[in-house]
Amino acid sequence: MTSNRRMLAAAATAALAACAASSLPVQTRLRVWAFTVPWDAKSSASARDHAAQFSSVISGWIQLDSVTGHPFAEFRDTLARNTPSGLRLTAMVTNAVGGRFHPDAVRHLVADRAALAHAAGEIARRASSYHGLVVDLEGFVAADRQILTTAVRTIADSARAHHVTPIAVAVPAVDTAAFPGRIFLPAADYLLVMLYDQHWTTSAPGPLAAPDWVRAATALRVSEVGAHRVVAALPLYGYRWPTSGHAAALTFADAERDATAAGVHLQRDSATSTLRATSPGVWDLWVSDAGLIAVLIREVRAQGVTTVALWRLGQEDPAVWGVVRGAR
């Protein structure tokens, strides 16, 4: 962790002067993307209720088989069947199946170029009714750079041939060993930086996205590709860590419920702007809310980033929509 912090601090200093050449227009008004998930009805309901807030909603899930890497059909996009007027829907291709990512399936697919081309064509066909595509392939290590580059380029080329644009690639906040931003350009138009899980299910308890961590991680990615190519993905959820074992993800409403049941209060941690509650000897929870999102939007905008993405709808503090309206 110490070396990561040094790397992030150095990148933060360099990033403000960095600029990547691009034909993309420079945005000044905040654009808001948001993710829905097909297994939670509250997710699509939130997208409908707040449709006017979004530039795009990523709702069309295309999953890759955990063995072959070929796309298969498990979920239906409920928003696509009855899209609110003016709402632009985006597709997403992911190697997440059954609650975890399957990098071996993508490695297997890339090893067979004919199979990769066929899979990319099928992904593009499914995405062709959407405005854009997010490529979310996770679980890789530094040795997989060429595999990732090949997979992203092949998928992106096929998508563009089917007139699916723009293309965004999701990358972890600070893992530039396996996911160096520049390798995905110019195949991708945007780097969607997942600015969350600073602390995760198997880590010690802590904030998901402390402002200083988000500031440094954003600077790192801006230094790679330029602010106009960065989409800052921010968390709407939290984790509850038991005294032993793995944490469980929870919504803002879950956090309020758990705190009330334990007779404790959600209180803002002054060092990280994050809401926290502790039931002594039982659990420790940290959760995002409107106050944290307001701070994080200011942090990324200060570095020239003008597109944020919210992961994920249906989990949020209801007050976040006032923050989003005010930030735009």
Side-chain angles (χ1 to χ4, degrees):
M1 290 296 291
T2 302
S3 61
N4 267 349
R5 290 185 185 278
R6 284 198 297 265
M7 176 182 67
L8 289 173
T13 303
L16 296 179
C19 181
S22 169
S23 60
L24 293 174
V26 176
Q27 302 289 333
T28 55
R29 184 171 180 265
L30 183 70
R31 299 188 306 172
V32 180
W33 298 5
F35 288 85
T36 63
V37 294
W39 59 84
D40 182 0
K42 292 180 181 178
S43 187
S44 293
S46 181
R48 295 183 191 283
D49 290 345
H50 305 286
Q53 304 286 342
F54 308 126
S55 302
S56 184
V57 170
I58 299 95
S59 62
W61 281 55
I62 303 168
Q63 291 180 285
L64 301 182
D65 183 84
S66 60
V67 176
T68 67
H70 287 277
F72 68 97
E74 180 179 359
F75 297 119
R76 292 176 65 91
D77 184 351
T78 57
L79 282 177
R81 295 201 295 271
N82 185 19
T83 307
S85 177
L87 186 62
R88 292 170 62 90
L89 301 184
T90 294
M92 179 173 74
V93 58
T94 178
N95 64 330
V97 180
R100 66 185 184 90
F101 292 93
H102 298 269
D104 282 343
V106 178
R107 295 179 184 118
H108 173 82
L109 193 62
V110 171
D112 183 340
R113 295 306 175 90
L116 175 60
H118 177 77
E122 179 61 17
I123 292 165
R125 185 189 68 78
R126 297 185 188 197
S128 61
S129 61
Y130 289 87
H131 299 281
L133 178 68
V134 173
V135 181
D136 180 25
L137 304 178
E138 301 185 39
F140 296 93
V141 297
D144 293 316
R145 284 186 187 183
Q146 188 56 52
I147 289 170
L148 275 170
T149 303
T150 300
V152 169
R153 184 179 63 245
T154 305
I155 292 169
D157 287 350
S158 188
R160 285 200 177 87
H162 285 73
H163 310 291
V164 179
T165 59
I167 310 294
V169 176
V171 298
V174 298
D175 183 1
T176 56
F179 295 84
R182 291 188 183 92
I183 72 170
F184 300 115
L185 306 181
D189 301 300
Y190 296 104
L191 210 63
L192 190 149
V193 184
M194 297 180 285
L195 295 168
Y196 40 78
D197 281 6
Q198 177 186 1
H199 293 84
W200 58 98
T201 56
T202 58
S203 78
L208 279 71
D212 60 348
W213 181 82
V214 166
R215 183 186 315 128
T218 302
L220 178 65
R221 294 306 190 172
V222 166
S223 72
E224 290 185 304
V225 301
H228 58 298
R229 285 192 181 270
V230 169
V231 177
L234 307 176
L236 297 179
Y237 62 99
Y239 288 125
R240 183 185 61 246
W241 283 267
T243 53
S244 62
H246 297 173
L250 76 170
T251 68
F252 179 79
D254 292 335
E256 287 191 313
R257 179 204 63 210
D258 289 355
T260 298
V264 297
H265 297 285
L266 289 170
Q267 296 182 319
R268 196 167 308 279
D269 177 60
S270 60
T272 66
S273 300
T274 306
L275 288 186
R276 180 186 184 187
T278 301
S279 179
V282 183
W283 49 252
D284 188 2
L285 73 77
W286 298 70
V287 67
S288 176
D289 77 321
L292 176 64
I293 293 298
V295 172
L296 298 185
I297 289 175
R298 289 197 296 270
E299 289 287 356
V300 300
R301 293 208 77 176
Q303 298 190 51
V305 174
T306 55
T307 305
V308 299
L310 303 176
W311 177 269
R312 65 169 171 83
L313 297 184
Q315 304 179 106
E316 68 272 12
D317 170 8
V320 79
W321 302 116
V323 168
V324 170
R325 282 192 297 273
R328 298 182 72 194

